[in-house]
């Protein structure tokens, strides 16, 4: 990473702060991932990160680490991945703690786009005599990418949508009879469970639920929390004896419906313990966006879209896919269901083109990650 305004040493401290921030992944939403490193006279005297929702913010955690080490942070430089907050939330303002500690300089990797925070913290610090520096270049870009769910939610009120697919070499997600177990390998499926644990919600279409009766839970040693399970079905056809409704004690279930859903059916689902999100609009794209806004109001900032092809097509048409993660298995099906269904654009030039893409081998599969939008 290269920054136009930082020395190599300063850049390294910010990169370490980013590593620390990542330790809060899956535990702090709807808050952002934040890490902080405090340095005095070339020596790291404190480190911290936002570890869990409601716990100390990274800046206060780093200052607490200074106290544990017996180090005085007065006159030191704090490197932090996101601009310090200046508002009262689950924790008091970090700007107060920074000023009280006598920090002389704060180096910030990225801005906070939320209305209640943007620019306020740095302004208060400058007014208090603290030198404030914003990083530039790749280290700043990495800090923004680390908080894409938080940034999209702050700017639009909707969650970041990651479309996950497992397909054959010829682009099929199931055979003509609907069989899809298992296209991807065991290592790929284990990685998906980690992704589930890191996101706020998983979404599938009602067709997938009726065919497979899935649990949609995160399983494995890294599953420290369970995401909400969202079922998109305009008429609320989720069966009362489905595994989703029978395991409401394990994770919440949200049924995203349209105005076509019968009130009596919605009442029954709510009585069983499910939540109802309503997607209004004339087209399915409008209904997707409306339902996402409803989910956003429930503090869901990230959504892992797992299928099936009809729902994937609706999200693509709505322009609400921010990232695609595709497992390509060494199989040729020769027929069956395509990964995404729908009309799509008339011309290739109108197709959504990825801003960036990378590939890696996961067991016998190839995982392609493509970012369509950045926030």
């Amino acid at each position: 990473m290269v920054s136009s305004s930082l020395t190599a040493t300063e850049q390294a401290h910010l990169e370490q702060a980013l590593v620390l921030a990542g330790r809060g992944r899956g535990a702090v939403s709807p808050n952002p991932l934040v890490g902080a490193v405090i340095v005095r006279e070339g020596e790291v005297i404190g480190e911290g990160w936002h570890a869990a929702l409601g716990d100390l913010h990274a800046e206060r955690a780093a200052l607490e680490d200074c106290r544990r080490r017996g180090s005085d942070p007065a006159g030191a430089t704090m490197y932090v991945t996101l601009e310090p907050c200046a508002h009262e939330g689950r924790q008091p303002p970090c700007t107060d703690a920074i000023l009280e500690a006598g920090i002389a300089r704060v180096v910030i990797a990225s801005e906070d786009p939320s209305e209640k925070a943007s620019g306020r913290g740095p302004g208060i610090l400058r007014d208090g005599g603290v030198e404030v520096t914003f990083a530039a270049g790749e280290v700043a870009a990495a800090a923004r990418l680390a908080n894409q769910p938080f940034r999209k939610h702050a700017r639009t009120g909707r969650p970041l949508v990651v479309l996950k697919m497992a397909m054959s070499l010829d682009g099929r997600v199931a055979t003509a009879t609907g069989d899809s177990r298992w296209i991807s390998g065991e290592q790929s499926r284990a990685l998906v469970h980690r992704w589930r644990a890191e996101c706020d919600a998983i979404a599938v279409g009602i067709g997938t639920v009726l065919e497979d009766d899935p649990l949609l839970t995160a399983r494995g040693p890294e599953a420290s929390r369970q995401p909400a399970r969202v079922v998109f079905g305009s008429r609320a056809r989720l069966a009362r004896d489905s595994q989703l409704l029978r395991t409401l004690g394990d994770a919440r279930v949200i049924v995203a419906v349209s105005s076509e859903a019968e009130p009596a059916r919605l009442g029954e689902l709510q009585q069983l313990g499910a939540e109802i999100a309503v997607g209004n609009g004339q087209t399915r794209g409008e209904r997707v966006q409306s339902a996402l806004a409803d989910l956003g109001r429930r503090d869901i900032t990230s959504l892992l879209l797992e299928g099936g092809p009809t729902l994937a097509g609706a999200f693509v048409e709505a322009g609400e896919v921010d990232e695609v993660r595709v497992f390509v298995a060494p199989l040729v099906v020769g027929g069956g269901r395509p990964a995404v269904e729908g009309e799509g654009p008339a011309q290739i030039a109108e197709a959504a083109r990825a801003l960036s893409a990378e590939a890696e081998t996961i067991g016998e599969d190839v995982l392609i990650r493509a970012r369509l939008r950045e926030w």
Side-chain angles (χ1 to χ4, degrees), residues 6-67:
L6 302 180
T7 67
T9 300
E10 291 174 322
Q11 178 179 291
H13 291 318
L14 265 188
E15 290 173 357
Q16 174 59 15
L18 279 168
V19 171
L20 294 171
R23 296 182 182 179
R25 193 174 306 280
V28 301
S29 181
N31 284 0
L33 298 172
V34 186
V37 174
I38 299 175
V39 179
R40 188 182 61 201
E41 298 178 353
E43 179 186 357
V44 175
I45 62 172
E47 294 183 332
W49 64 94
H50 188 29
L53 187 64
D55 282 1
L56 291 177
H57 287 184
E59 298 92 328
R60 288 181 178 270
L63 290 169
E64 182 62 31
D65 190 38
C66 287
R67 285 187 280 273

Side-chain angles (χ1 to χ4, degrees), residues 167-339:
M167 67 173 64
S168 63
L169 290 170
D170 52 343
R172 303 295 167 171
V173 297
T175 65
T177 63
D179 181 44
S180 61
R181 295 188 178 183
W182 295 100
I183 289 179
S184 58
E186 184 176 348
Q187 292 182 45
S188 297
R189 297 196 299 274
L191 180 56
V192 171
H193 280 286
R194 193 181 84 190
W195 292 345
R196 287 181 175 184
E198 292 175 349
C199 72
D200 292 339
I202 302 167
V204 296
I206 187 62
T208 296
V209 174
L210 295 177
E211 289 174 15
D212 300 336
D213 192 22
L215 274 172
L216 301 179
T217 51
R219 298 181 288 279
E222 296 178 330
S224 58
R225 71 158 186 171
Q226 291 297 334
R229 299 166 293 175
V230 183
V231 178
F232 279 79
S234 59
R235 291 177 290 166
R237 292 185 293 148
L238 182 60
R240 64 181 302 139
D241 62 346
S242 66
Q243 288 200 94
L244 292 174
L245 293 181
R246 286 191 283 111
T247 57
L248 277 165
D250 298 332
R252 63 201 284 212
V253 172
I254 304 172
V255 184
V257 303
S258 72
S259 57
E260 298 176 7
E262 296 181 3
R265 183 64 185 136
L266 299 182
E268 180 184 8
L269 289 173
Q270 289 175 312
Q271 188 174 20
L272 290 169
E275 302 172 42
I276 303 298
V278 180
N280 295 311
Q282 296 299 314
T283 67
R284 69 176 186 171
E286 291 174 346
R287 291 192 290 273
V288 164
Q289 291 182 332
S290 176
L292 287 176
D294 193 322
L295 295 178
R297 288 190 289 273
R298 301 166 195 258
D299 280 342
I300 291 176
T301 67
S302 56
L303 184 73
L304 184 63
L305 185 62
E306 293 207 16
T310 302
L311 186 64
F315 271 72
V316 170
E317 287 179 16
E320 285 295 340
V321 175
D322 301 291
E323 183 182 342
V324 180
R325 300 176 188 176
V326 182
F327 294 101
V328 181
L331 304 170
V332 177
V333 175
R337 297 193 71 181

